[in-house]
Each structure stands twice: as structure tokens, then as C-alpha cells.
Amino acid sequence: MRTPRVIAARGLRRRRDRDATGLFLAEGPQAVREATGIQELFGTPSALERYGDLTESARRAGARISPVTEDALEALAETVHPQGLVAVCEQPGVPLEEALARGPRLAAVLAEIRDPGNAGTVLRTADAAGADAVVFAGDAVDPYNGKCVRASAGSLFHVDVVRAPEPAAVVKAARDSGLTVLAATGYGDTDLDELADAGGLARPTAWLFGSEAHGLPADLLALADARVRVPLYGRAESLNLAAAAAVCLYASARALRRL
């Protein structure tokens, strides 16, 4: 049975409803385990029992626990084989000024990246590399898109997630706060390994990544402190966005560990 609350929650699969309410859906036990700000936890009776620790944790945090039928759960979920739990959560995002005021040592700026799977994977990688903030800049995908949330594997709740309308303003604000801004591009005039060997990564850094289809526009490249390419030692033509981001972020993480 699809109750009015189920119908309202299902609307959060649409961006306009997420933007209007400041809420979004986190699907599956892994996302629920990492989630903060859970308002309501929907689950089939069997899933609520199977994941009793998550159910009890959500209840103690003040969430409403709502048993639903398999049909209702499938209406909320976006995966082909849902795992029985879907949480309605408050969006944990923070303003850019607040994220920068915290003095991040490592940040990732996703400029105009529109593929939710790529964006979520980069967010997860940034978290794993120890980044403090991930900025979705310009006409980027909504970080609370269901596919992006799933691809982040809970990392959405671990870092400062920022949405900013103007990528150029993000670069300026990052530089003004003391961050070195490095633009990742296959056509960069600076080699990542050479930069690392010269100590150029051993400082607070914001990495700027563009879409896999179009890369970074010329105006953003011009604003960066350096345009950095990942060296290719084999015969591959290039790296995809997620792989390149992982290489760049971990190179910075390694350098920053020595400080």
C-alpha cells in the first residue's frame, strides 16, 4: 500500500522536490548506515528485522520507522533489486564559505560534471584520499541524485558537500582562502610526477576536474595555478575521469601526509 508519506517520499526522486524540501533518499543498508539527518526510514518488515541495528539507531536518532510492503519499497527504490531499506534524509551540504573557513587541506571541485555515476565515484575517491570538501560547481549533477548517492557509497555524509553556481567564483574563493588550485587536464603543461617530485603537492590544494566529455573550459584552465596532466607510461590514449581523479587526489594525499 502506498501511503501519502510513501508518495511524498517517492517525489524526492525528482530534483525539483529535493530542492524544494532540502531532503533526499538514501537507498540500501550501506547508505543508511552512514547517513546523518534521517527523518524517516522505510523498510519491508523483513529488512527492518534483518538490519535491526540500523533500525534501532535510526529510531534513537529521532527518525520515524515506517514498515512498508515490497510494492511500496520498490516504488521508492531506483535499483532493480532493492535491499529493503530507503531513508529520507536531510541534505548535509554546506555553503562554500563555511567549507573554506574550516581550512581544508584537500578539496575536489567538480566543474560541470553531469554524469551522476562519475560524480559519485569521484566523491567516494575524494573521501578515501582524505579530502575535506567536494564542490559541485556550475551546471553539475545534483549530488543528491539517486545514482550519485549510491555511487558515493556513503561518502556523501563524510565530507563537506558544496553546491556553487559559478565555477570561476569557486576557484577565486579557493585561492583567496590559501588553497593552490590545480586543474587536471590531459593537455596540461605540468607533469603530475614532476610536480610531486618538486614538492609542488605538499601544500593545501583544490583539484579542479571537468566533465569526461568536454574537460575543463579555457577560462577555468586559465584561472588555475597550474594545469596538470597525468603521465601515461603505456599505450592507453587517456584515463577516464574517475581514474584520473584518483591518481591526482592520492598524489596530493601522499604529499600532505609528510607535513
Side-chain angles (χ1 to χ4, degrees):
M1 179 179 179
R2 300 185 187 180
T3 67
R5 291 199 315 281
V6 170
I7 293 171
R10 191 174 192 275
L12 296 175
R13 292 170 54 165
R14 297 187 295 265
R15 180 166 187 167
R16 66 174 181 269
D17 286 37
R18 295 193 297 270
D19 288 345
T21 62
L23 303 173
F24 73 107
L25 299 178
E27 178 183 340
Q30 174 61 24
V32 173
R33 181 173 291 108
E34 304 297 332
T36 59
I38 297 178
Q39 289 198 348
E40 185 164 12
L41 178 61
F42 294 96
T44 62
S46 61
L48 292 174
E49 181 179 358
R50 184 182 314 120
Y51 303 108
D53 58 330
L54 302 182
T55 304
E56 184 56 31
S57 177
R59 180 182 286 111
R60 287 198 304 269
R64 179 171 188 164
I65 308 302
S66 299
V68 294
T69 63
E70 295 280 355
D71 177 68
L73 196 286
E74 288 179 5
L76 292 171
E78 295 186 53
T79 54
V80 176
H81 302 292
Q83 295 178 275
L85 296 178
V86 176
V88 176
C89 303
E90 298 173 359
Q91 296 180 11
V94 300
L96 178 64
E97 297 77 11
E98 181 178 334
L100 293 176
R102 295 176 182 174
R105 298 211 309 165
L106 183 60
V109 180
L110 312 186
E112 313 284 351
I113 293 177
R114 298 172 186 169
D115 181 270
N118 273 338
T121 300
V122 175
L123 198 162
R124 181 180 183 180
T125 301
D127 176 28
D132 306 288
V134 177
V135 182
F136 289 70
D139 190 20
V141 66
D142 178 11
Y144 307 107
N145 169 287
K147 187 174 181 179
C148 186
V149 173
R150 292 191 300 277
S152 80
S155 289
L156 181 76
F157 302 102
H158 300 165
V159 301
D160 284 342
V161 175
V162 176
R163 288 193 286 184
E166 295 293 338
V170 173
V171 172
K172 182 180 185 304
R175 295 183 69 182
D176 289 347
S177 71
L179 292 171
T180 297
V181 177
L182 301 179
T185 170
Y187 304 100
D189 48 15
T190 301
D191 180 278
L192 177 65
D193 285 350
E194 293 176 359
L195 183 65
D197 290 344
L201 297 179
R203 63 191 65 163
T205 298
W207 276 99
L208 187 58
F209 301 108
S211 71
E212 191 159 322
H214 305 293
L216 290 165
D219 59 334
L220 280 184
L221 288 171
L223 292 175
D225 292 293
R227 288 144 294 282
V228 183
R229 69 181 184 278
V230 176
L232 301 175
Y233 297 113
R235 298 172 62 186
E237 179 185 5
S238 62
L239 293 174
N240 66 23
L241 170 63
V247 172
C248 294
L249 290 165
Y250 268 90
S252 282
R254 178 179 174 84
L256 289 168
R257 283 185 62 190
R258 301 170 182 169
L259 296 182

